[in-house]
Amino acid sequence: MTTATPATAVPGNPVIALAAAETKLILRNKTVAVSSMILPVALGIFWAITFDSGGDPARQAVVVALQLAVVLGMGIYVTGTQTLVARRHSRVLKRMRTTGLTDRGLLTATIAPSVVLGVAQLVIFAVINAVTGAPLPLDPLALIVAVVGGVALAVTAALATSIVTPTPERSQITTLPLTFVLLGAAIAMAVIPLDGWWHALVVVPGAAMGTLVQIAMNGDMWVAGPGGLPAGLPSLVATVAWPIVFAVLASRNFKWDPRH
């Protein structure tokens, strides 16, 4: 990955200045641009066109879950991890800590570009889905929660994964397990009935996104689920819990010095 150089601070806005510099570095790196932007967008468009829902909300839930999972997994989680590890490996993070930026501001500026690019991809998918005549979600709030919670999961997971990733090249390996889990769990939970015992799989990272997408398309947030509880309650708990778990791991173990 291209080595970053400290951004020239904009008076009163050093975080935005550094984030803008990071965005340019991502866009200039052809490998990262393809893996984090072009490939997820291409897959999302392919799924939107190929898997025609025929106006069926349940089938459309699978398409939306696929699109959301690929953006969160490849566009935000993998790219965020690669960026953090590359900047640490080149000692940029350590040097930037002497510029007056807070640690939180520095990490925010470093990972923000992958989040912005990921959200932009989701907007593209929303437009394409609307143009192709896909049914609209009956519960838009559930879909918003899935997106926000998914972004929080991807960002905190990137911070946590960077702890065990020694070099930018190794990030291609260390991010694979969770990427596959996110994709598989989100897609599976988009089709698993909300009232069966399989719904217990919502505890797997990323599974709550798939369930919330299904709920968003069908409008079943408050339908009675296992134990008589609202069907959407376990997903809401998991959506909040996993980012907290990864954030705690990152805050306690994050490394600023290069690892070998």
Side-chain angles (χ1 to χ4, degrees):
M1 182 173 286
T2 306
T3 301
T5 55
T8 301
V10 175
N13 243 330
V15 173
I16 294 178
L18 181 56
E22 289 290 348
T23 303
K24 292 178 181 178
L25 288 171
I26 290 176
L27 296 177
R28 288 175 182 173
N29 189 305
K30 294 181 180 179
T31 301
V32 176
V34 169
S35 63
S36 66
M37 296 177 57
I38 298 177
L39 185 57
V41 169
L43 288 172
I45 294 174
F46 172 77
W47 291 325
I49 296 175
T50 305
F51 303 147
D52 184 9
S53 65
D56 182 4
R59 294 178 62 182
Q60 183 60 25
V62 177
V63 175
V64 175
L66 281 165
Q67 293 172 332
L68 179 57
V70 76
V71 168
L72 295 175
M74 297 177 63
I76 299 179
Y77 170 56
V78 173
T79 304
T81 303
Q82 290 176 334
T83 303
L84 286 166
V85 174
R87 303 302 175 255
R88 182 184 65 202
H89 193 68
S90 59
R91 300 183 184 276
V92 169
L93 286 183
K94 192 166 185 178
R95 291 200 302 269
M96 291 299 294
R97 295 184 81 190
T98 66
T99 63
L101 276 171
T102 63
D103 289 349
R104 181 175 298 180
L106 176 55
L107 293 176
T108 298
T110 303
I111 207 167
S114 62
V115 175
V116 173
L117 294 173
V119 172
Q121 293 170 26
L122 293 178
V123 172
I124 292 174
F125 293 155
V127 172
I128 292 172
N129 291 343
V131 170
T132 57
L136 297 175
L138 297 178
D139 189 348
L141 181 59
L143 185 57
I144 293 173
V145 172
V147 172
V148 174
V151 170
L153 170 63
V155 169
T156 53
L159 290 165
T161 305
S162 70
I163 298 169
V164 296
T165 308
T167 64
E169 294 75 19
R170 289 292 295 275
S171 64
Q172 299 289 342
I173 299 174
T174 57
T175 57
L176 277 178
L178 187 56
T179 299
F180 283 130
V181 169
L182 288 175
L183 289 168
I187 297 166
M189 295 304 292
V191 296
I192 289 177
L194 299 176
D195 56 354
W197 70 269
W198 281 98
H199 191 56
L201 292 175
V202 74
V203 299
V204 176
M209 295 184 301
T211 302
L212 288 171
V213 169
Q214 180 185 165
I215 289 173
M217 298 307 301
N218 297 324
D220 295 331
M221 176 66 80
W222 305 112
V223 172
L229 297 173
L233 183 60
S235 298
L236 293 175
V237 173
T239 298
V240 174
W242 275 114
I244 292 176
V245 170
F246 286 126
V248 170
L249 287 174
S251 64
R252 291 181 178 179
N253 302 287
F254 189 80
K255 308 296 183 183
W256 296 94
D257 294 307
R259 298 192 62 207
H260 302 287

